[in-house]
Every structure is written in C-alpha cells, then in structure tokens.
C-alpha cells in the first residue's frame, strides 16, 4: 500500500523550512505543503491560548488540502498546542519535541542536558517532561533565550555582536556548575546559529538539532501507517505564507534554490 498525497508542514514562519529540507533529503518521493504563519510570528512571546488558536487555524488549512499527515515543525506550537491538535484531526501528527528529546537523552553521557527555546516553549516544560520520560535520571536545565529569534529573523548570523548575544543567552546553562554535555536547540531558528553554539560550548558538548531526528521519526510514522508515497511518484512542493511572499521567498530560495521555491500567499481564518 502507498499514498501519493502530500505531507503537511506547519511553522510560525520560515524556521520550519530547516525541518522540511531534512525531510525532502531523506524522503525524496514525498510531496509536501508547508504553511508559515509569518503574519502572526513570532509565537514565542504569545500566550498559550494564542499559540493553540493560531496553530489550529493553520492546521485546518492544511487539512482542507487533504494532506495525509502533518509535521508541526514549530517547537512553540509542538510544546504548547500538540495535545489539543491531536484531538482535532484524524490523521498522524508529529511534533518536534519528542524526536528532539529522544535524541538528547541518547546523546548525553553525563546525564545532564541543557534545553533552550522560546519563552512559551520553556514555560510549558514540554522538553523537560519528554526527556524525563526517555530517562528519568537525566537532569534537564531549561533556559528561555528570547533574544535569538529576532537576530535570525534580521539575518544576523555572524559577527562579534551576535556571538555576544548568543553567549549571554546561554550563560545560565554554560556557566552552571552542572556542566551539561548536551545542548538541545529547542527552536526552529537556532540551527541557523549552530556554528556559533558549537564554537561557544566547545567540542565536548553535543549540540542537538531536532530536524534530522524529526525526519527519521516521520519516516517511521509513514511506514507504520502505510502512508509512503509510491516509489514512482514525481513529488511536488508548495509553500504557503500568511505574510509577505517576497520576504518568505528570499529565505526559501536560500535553503532550496530558485527552481524549488513555489511560494503562494494564503489567508487562514483569523489571520486576515
Ligand atoms: N518557530 C518558533 C519555534 O520553533 C520560533 C519562532 C517564533 O517564536 O515563532 O519555537
């Protein structure tokens, strides 16, 4: 059995494209529809109710396009809204928290993991709980790092000023006497600063980016539900944004190349 329908992807903005890229690399026969809620991003400083409502509105849009499964690539939405979203749709839904937590619990040798994310993600303690479910003996140090998304959104990924902000943001973890040997990047935007995290924490600390763990989990999920695209499929990819198509396209082209990016505007209920 196979299923040629598309896989839906959702993020508050462009950051989830890093997850999409990893999935396309790993599952080249699959077609995809991605929606970024750029008009209402960032979600990180939002209330839980807003994150839940906005996420449901975007997933309704994907569901109306007959996707066979949905990846909630946004960490804030995965952390805050996933249980509610699972009740709302009768199809497999995959978030990024569980795959990331599993990867971190496997990576740590001294059983101490630092987790960074948006204010809403850290407030939810979703990573804390998911890591503890993997291994109750792992100590989890959580830290909200709200200054990092604006940097990435502004395209600032290099230089001494950026390094200073990154260094100060993660200081409560790096300066702690707990010495975690694993740093989990619990936000879509942080992989774009991975080089800087690696430089600051040094070679003895594993920096975990959840994109590849999520792509592996998706491959298993499709297999389990008999939802793989036929091997003869010629895949197609659509990217939708509630925000500015031009700004979205610049990032999409940077990640995928000009031939790939087909970006369209979308108006989801509530985000007019
Ligand atoms: N996509 C969000 C996340 O992964 C980061 C950007 C935002 O705050 O909306 O948590």
């Amino acid at each position: 059995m196979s299923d040629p329908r598309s896989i839906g992807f959702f993020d508050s903005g462009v950051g989830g494209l890093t997850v999409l890229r990893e999935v396309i690399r790993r599952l080249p026969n699959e077609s995809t529809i991605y929606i970024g809620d750029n008009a209402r991003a960032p979600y990180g400083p939002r209330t839980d109710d807003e994150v839940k409502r906005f996420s449901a509105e975007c997933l309704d849009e994907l569901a109306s396009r007959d996707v066979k499964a949905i990846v909630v690539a946004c960490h804030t939405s995965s952390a805050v809204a996933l249980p509610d979203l699972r009740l709302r749709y009768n199809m497999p839904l995959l978030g990024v928290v569980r795959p990331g937590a599993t990867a971190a619990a496997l990576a740590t040798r001294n059983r101490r993991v630092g987790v960074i994310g948006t204010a809403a993600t850290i407030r939810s303690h979703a990573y804390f709980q998911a890591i503890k479910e993997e291994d109750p003996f792992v100590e989890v140090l959580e830290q909200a790092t709200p200054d990092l998304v604006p940097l990435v959104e502004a395209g600032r990924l290099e230089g001494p000023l950026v390094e200073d902000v990154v260094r100060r943001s993660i200081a409560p973890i790096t300066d702690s006497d707990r010495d975690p040997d694993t740093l989990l990047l619990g936000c879509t935007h942080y992989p774009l600063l991975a080089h800087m995290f690696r430089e600051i924490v040094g070679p003895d600390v594993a920096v975990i980016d959840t994109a590849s763990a999520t792509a592996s989990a998706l491959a298993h999920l499709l297999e389990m539900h008999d939802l793989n695209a036929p091997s003869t499929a010629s895949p197609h990819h659509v990217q939708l944004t509630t925000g500015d198509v031009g700004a979205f396209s610049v990032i999409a082209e940077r990640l995928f190349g000009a031939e790939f990016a087909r970006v369209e505007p979308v108006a989801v209920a509530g985000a007019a």
Side-chain angles (χ1 to χ4, degrees), residues 11-13 15-16 41-45 73-77 118 121 149 153 186-189:
D11 182 35
S12 57
Y43 281 12
C74 178
H75 294 249
T76 303
S77 176
T118 66
T121 297
V149 167
E153 287 287 328
C187 174
T188 47
H189 287 53

Side-chain angles (χ1 to χ4, degrees), residues 45-63:
R46 299 271 188 184
T47 65
D48 289 4
D49 281 349
E50 284 175 318
V51 173
K52 287 178 188 174
R53 182 158 52 85
F54 297 172
S55 301
E57 287 165 359
C58 290
L59 263 65
D60 282 354
E61 180 64 34
L62 289 173

Side-chain angles (χ1 to χ4, degrees), residues 11-13 36-43 46 54 241-244 266 268 270-272:
D11 182 35
S12 57
D37 193 10
N38 298 72
R40 297 183 292 193
Y43 281 12
R46 299 271 188 184
F54 297 172
T241 174
T242 60
D244 183 70
V266 68
V268 303

Side-chain angles (χ1 to χ4, degrees), residues 9-11 15-17 19-20 34 71-75 78 94-96 188:
F9 288 78
F10 160 62
D11 182 35
L17 291 173
V19 178
L20 178 69
Y34 179 103
V71 177
V72 177
C74 178
H75 294 249
S78 295
L94 179 69
V96 284
T188 47

